[in-house]
Amino acid sequence: MIRKTVANVEDALQGVENGMTFMLGGFGLSGIPENAISELVRLNVKNLTCISNNAGVDDFGLGLLLQKKQIDKMVSSYVGENDEFERQMLSEELDVELIPQGTLAARCQAAQQGYPAMYTPAGYGTEVSQFKETREFDGKMYVLEKAFKADFAFIKAWKGDKAGNLIFKGTARNFNPLMCGAAKITVVEVEELVEPGELDPNQIHIPGIFVQRIFEGKNYEKRIEKRTVRKK
């Protein structure tokens, strides 16, 4: 059995350099790789391209990298609750590629499965399709979208074993499974790391073949992006 465990986040991020392209799992603040993001902040790597559903909030998640001007380009489906992301985008300090959320997911999956590109009807006839190849299938127009190319994918899972098999929990599943294996190196942080054979095979969402490095994270905050409570 191939063991893919590393001792800590510092070892997991060996090889990270300026100018790289990263995929980061999560939706809002749900299921984000908190430990990996904190380490990227500490390493102070710059000129990054980050592919993620959004950029968290001002003081958490990818917002921490935006505050330090470590990100040159964001590839996302929406701005979300991050005022600093909005400010940098409107002031043109940050290069932003906003794409339909389904297209974001499909381009991740294309990279994961080894397809160079895929056709989608989303965005045809809008700015999204400008300068892109279009083609008609059965009377409907489609836009050719290329698979993402990334150096690292940083993933958060609930449980994993030392062979890299993963289980996600609830809404934290989101973009995380689609990004596993979609980059040159996939780094996974889990809340609980167990021995091979301890996970129920019927519950595994992603097999270890898609994972290069895995470690047990710590000190998860699991913030809620926008809390709504019922009146008493």
Side-chain angles (χ1 to χ4, degrees), residues 119 124 133-144:
Y119 281 102
Y124 176 75
E133 179 184 330
T134 58
R135 185 173 175 182
E136 181 180 343
F137 292 93
D138 298 324
K140 188 173 183 178
M141 296 302 299
Y142 291 79
V143 182
L144 183 69

Side-chain angles (χ1 to χ4, degrees), residues 62-98:
L62 286 178
L64 298 172
L65 296 175
L66 286 171
Q67 283 185 350
K68 294 185 64 179
K69 304 292 182 67
Q70 292 175 251
I71 302 175
D72 279 0
K73 181 178 181 179
M74 279 295 308
V75 181
S76 303
S77 62
Y78 79 115
V79 176
E81 303 292 327
N82 194 319
D83 292 335
E84 179 62 15
F85 185 5
E86 179 182 16
R87 187 196 67 77
Q88 290 188 27
M89 180 178 71
L90 294 177
S91 65
E92 299 184 349
E93 297 174 40
L94 179 69
D95 186 8
V96 177
E97 181 182 354
L98 288 176

Side-chain angles (χ1 to χ4, degrees), residues 22-70:
F22 300 148
M23 287 180 165
L24 298 105
F27 186 97
L29 299 181
S30 177
I32 63 173
E34 295 181 28
N35 285 211
I37 291 172
S38 295
E39 179 64 7
L40 290 173
V41 172
R42 188 190 72 81
L43 292 172
N44 199 34
V45 285
K46 296 183 180 296
N47 308 121
L48 304 176
T49 295
C50 291
I51 302 166
S52 184
N53 178 65
N54 72 320
V57 293
D58 290 343
D59 61 346
F60 197 60
L62 286 178
L64 298 172
L65 296 175
L66 286 171
Q67 283 185 350
K68 294 185 64 179
K69 304 292 182 67
Q70 292 175 251

Side-chain angles (χ1 to χ4, degrees), residues 195-214:
E195 293 294 331
E198 290 188 35
L199 299 179
D200 180 352
N202 296 303
Q203 300 300 316
I204 290 172
H205 295 126
I206 290 291
I209 191 68
F210 291 104
V211 176
Q212 281 73 51
R213 302 173 189 172
I214 188 170

Side-chain angles (χ1 to χ4, degrees), residues 167-185:
I167 297 176
F168 301 92
K169 187 175 183 179
T171 54
R173 191 169 174 178
N174 52 61
F175 281 86
N176 279 298
L178 299 177
M179 291 182 174
C180 288
K184 294 176 182 177
I185 298 174

Side-chain angles (χ1 to χ4, degrees), residues 1-6 12 112 151-168 176-190 193 199 204-216:
M1 183 70 69
I2 299 175
R3 297 297 177 110
K4 303 182 179 185
T5 53
V6 291
Q112 179 193 65
D151 298 291
F152 280 84
F154 298 114
I155 308 300
K156 163 72 189 313
W158 176 45
K159 285 185 179 181
D161 66 23
K162 293 180 179 180
N165 299 303
L166 306 176
I167 297 176
F168 301 92
N176 279 298
L178 299 177
M179 291 182 174
C180 288
K184 294 176 182 177
I185 298 174
T186 295
V187 176
V188 181
E189 54 185 85
V190 296
L193 186 63
L199 299 179
I204 290 172
H205 295 126
I206 290 291
I209 191 68
F210 291 104
V211 176
Q212 281 73 51
R213 302 173 189 172
I214 188 170
F215 68 98
E216 187 170 279

